[in-house]
Amino acid sequence: MWIITIHSKNGFKMFEFYTEKEAREKFEVIEGCKILSEVIYFNDKQLVKP
C-alpha cells in the first residue's frame, strides 16, 4: 500500500493507493508539501517467499 501525506494550512490529508504507479502519478500533480510512503505489513502473504 502506498500513502501520500500532504501538509497544508488546513492540516494534514492522507490518500491511500494500492499500486506504486497509481500513487506516483497522483504525487506528481499534487501541489504543496507532500510525502510518498510505502506501507509494508509483515503478515502480507504477497511478501512471503514459498
Side-chain angles (χ1 to χ4, degrees):
M1 177 185 302
W2 291 82
I3 307 287
I4 296 176
T5 306
I6 302 168
H7 179 262
S8 67
K9 295 177 186 177
N10 300 328
F12 290 94
K13 291 185 181 179
M14 298 178 77
F15 300 93
E16 296 181 359
F17 301 91
Y18 286 106
T19 65
E20 180 181 2
K21 180 183 176 194
E22 184 181 24
R24 289 193 182 275
E25 287 173 356
K26 188 70 173 178
F27 187 79
E28 294 297 321
V29 297
I30 293 175
E31 295 182 8
C33 184
K34 56 196 176 186
I35 300 169
L36 177 62
S37 307
E38 181 180 17
V39 177
I40 299 174
Y41 295 102
F42 289 106
N43 60 351
D44 190 346
K45 301 213 184 299
Q46 295 177 353
L47 302 175
V48 176
K49 294 182 181 179

